[in-house]
């Protein structure tokens, strides 16, 4: 018995497959993500270039490279500076973020991000 698959069915399946989305930040695409704090309105910029697990984070007080760790529909940016560890988690389903700084300067923040570019 032969199975016959039509072209429209294949096209629909390929478009629905998140693993095939080439511009998806969750699947390694380069992106820049601009976010705004709900607490004080400050800006946060996150970026990845080169489809690696290395990224960049910029805030008023934080600027530097970060390691990107994948999660379920999220990416975590981990940045270590002096005695502080910054954990910045972005949920790509809601585009909300949670940031925690632990160490000498403890801080918690949350906010909303724009669509990745």
């Amino acid at each position: 018995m032969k199975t016959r698959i039509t072209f429209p069915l294949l096209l629909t399946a390929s478009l629905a497959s998140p693993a095939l989305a080439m511009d998806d930040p969750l699947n390694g695409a380069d992106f820049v993500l601009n976010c705004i704090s709900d607490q004080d309105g400050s800006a946060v910029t996150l970026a990845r270039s080169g489809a690696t697990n290395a990224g960049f984070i910029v805030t008023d007080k934080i600027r530097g490279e970060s390691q990107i760790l994948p999660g379920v529909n999220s990416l975590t940016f981990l940045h270590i500076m002096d005695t502080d560890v910054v954990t910045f988690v972005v949920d790509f389903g809601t585009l909300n973020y949670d940031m925690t700084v632990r160490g000498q300067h403890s801080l918690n923040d949350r906010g909303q991000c724009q669509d990745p570019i």
Side-chain angles (χ1 to χ4, degrees):
M1 178 177 176
K2 286 185 177 178
T3 303
R4 186 175 175 195
I5 300 176
T6 63
F7 178 73
L9 181 61
L10 285 175
L11 181 61
T12 302
S14 67
L15 292 175
S17 175
L20 297 176
M22 299 306 289
D23 60 348
D24 184 359
L26 294 172
N27 291 317
D30 296 350
F31 67 90
V32 174
L33 192 61
N34 295 306
C35 308
I36 301 294
S37 170
D38 287 344
Q39 294 180 353
D40 63 9
S42 61
V44 178
T45 300
L46 304 167
R48 173 172 50 207
S49 179
T52 67
N53 64 348
F56 205 80
I57 182 171
V58 177
T59 72
D60 291 342
K61 298 178 183 178
I62 302 165
R63 180 182 186 89
E65 292 183 8
S66 61
Q67 182 177 6
I68 299 174
L69 308 168
V72 177
N73 205 34
S74 68
L75 293 176
T76 299
F77 287 72
L78 182 64
H79 174 73
I80 299 173
M81 55 184 220
D82 299 325
T83 60
D84 295 326
V85 176
V86 179
T87 307
F88 196 102
V89 181
V90 178
D91 180 330
F92 280 85
T94 63
L95 289 176
N96 290 324
Y97 78 81
D98 289 302
M99 181 177 75
T100 304
V101 178
R102 293 290 178 246
Q104 185 177 1
H105 306 99
S106 292
L107 170 72
N108 291 312
D109 187 30
R110 61 184 46 225
Q112 185 71 34
C113 301
Q114 298 173 352
D115 287 328
I117 50 175

